[in-house]
Amino acid sequence: EAQVTQNPRYLITVTGKKLTVTCSQNMNHEYMSWYRQDPGLGLRQIYYSMNVEVTDKGDVPEGYKVSRKEKRNFPLILESPSPNQTSLYFCASSLSPSDVFYEQYFGPGTRLTVT
Amino acid sequence: QKEVEQDPGPLSVPEGAIVSLNCTYSNSAFQYFMWYRQYSRKGPELLMYTYSSGNKEDGRFTAQVDKSSKYISLFIRDSQPSDSATYLCAMSVRMVGNTPLVFGKGTRLSVIA
């Protein structure tokens, strides 16, 4: 089944404890991205990757890191999480970086709480 | 003024009703308009996209874009309880991945059987 998977789905952590949220897609998609969704603010892009080894900042990149060493994986790293990073996170992928939004698949989401 | 405005609802309608969901925007450069549906505890899924002005129909769903008014709509005919979800509008200047996709905050819809 074609899908985008994220792990973990739920995470409660403490301020300053490094964490990684994994994202994997099995559709051989070139483009991947991370969003966060907050009440009253909607979906905002954190980082995106046009292809392997090519990443760039979205609208709200502060406090996050990403890497794209393989085509299928695009982990989101929070080196020192803070309470304002409490949010619902979505990974998404698209086949081609030139027609990204025609068919963008989202993962199921990771609900992160930082205390 | 926010770039994309969308009434968060909630909107509650009886089964079989025609639903109208709307977004307004301020950036006249937007050319690509999308509607996503998001069920509770799930990721958004693309419902429809349109380019520039005009209508697009897909089954019970019709997307409408009026660029002169900077207004887009999604109509759902013969609404079903399974249509209960949050609907997000999104828009972009280009379809290339290094172009921002700007989302509305979403409208929560409940279709009551």
Side-chain angles (χ1 to χ4, degrees):
Chain A
E1 181 190 351
Q3 59 184 347
V4 178
T5 56
Q6 296 178 227
N7 283 292
R9 293 290 312 278
Y10 302 90
L11 179 60
I12 301 174
T13 189
V14 296
T15 299
K17 186 175 181 183
K18 181 180 177 179
L19 66 92
T20 300
V21 183
T22 65
C23 172
S24 183
Q25 49 91 6
N26 62 359
M27 297 170 279
N28 202 36
H29 284 176
E30 288 189 20
Y31 181 90
M32 298 184 75
S33 66
W34 276 102
Y35 292 86
R36 60 179 289 174
Q37 187 174 37
D38 302 289
L41 293 174
L43 272 161
R44 294 176 294 165
Q45 192 178 51
I46 304 169
Y47 268 95
Y48 63 91
S49 170
M50 300 279 272
N51 212 328
V52 176
E53 300 291 1
V54 180
T55 63
D56 211 341
K57 296 176 182 178
D59 299 320
V60 287
E62 295 78 20
Y64 305 94
K65 283 176 58 176
V66 293
S67 68
R68 187 94 182 273
K69 294 185 172 59
E70 318 165 84
K71 201 171 190 178
R72 63 182 293 133
N73 296 323
F74 190 43
L76 179 69
I77 302 156
L78 285 72
E79 295 269 3
S80 182
S82 62
N84 65 11
Q85 292 178 299
T86 292
S87 187
L88 181 57
Y89 291 87
F90 290 101
C91 180
S93 74
S94 298
L95 179 62
S96 166
S98 59
D99 293 308
V100 168
F101 308 129
Y102 284 129
E103 201 158 15
Q104 182 166 219
Y105 293 89
F106 282 79
T110 294
R111 186 166 292 281
L112 171 66
T113 302
V114 183
T115 61
Chain B
Q1 182 190 7
K2 297 258 190 274
E3 220 171 356
V4 177
E5 302 270 13
Q6 185 176 10
D7 187 333
L11 181 62
S12 186
V13 301
E15 183 176 358
I18 296 174
V19 176
S20 173
L21 303 166
N22 312 295
C23 289
T24 59
Y25 62 94
S26 57
N27 186 352
S28 57
F30 286 143
Q31 295 199 85
Y32 297 89
F33 304 91
M34 284 137 276
W35 285 96
Y36 284 82
R37 178 175 60 196
Q38 185 175 17
Y39 290 116
S40 182
R41 302 184 191 282
K42 301 281 188 184
E45 56 177 326
L46 182 65
L47 263 182
M48 299 180 71
Y49 68 85
T50 51
Y51 169 70
S52 195
S53 283
N55 291 2
K56 186 173 184 178
E57 190 173 318
D58 184 2
R60 296 184 295 110
F61 297 88
T62 299
Q64 200 170 76
V65 175
D66 182 350
K67 288 193 74 181
S68 62
S69 302
K70 298 192 183 71
Y71 188 87
I72 70 170
S73 301
L74 177 70
F75 297 96
I76 307 174
R77 289 185 301 280
D78 187 25
S79 56
Q80 302 295 309
S82 59
D83 294 328
S84 298
T86 297
Y87 289 80
L88 308 165
C89 64
M91 44 199 85
S92 181
V93 174
R94 288 180 296 275
M95 274 299 193
V96 183
N98 56 6
T99 306
L101 180 63
V102 184
F103 284 86
K105 292 173 190 164
T107 299
R108 183 178 294 180
L109 170 67
S110 292
V111 181
I112 311 300

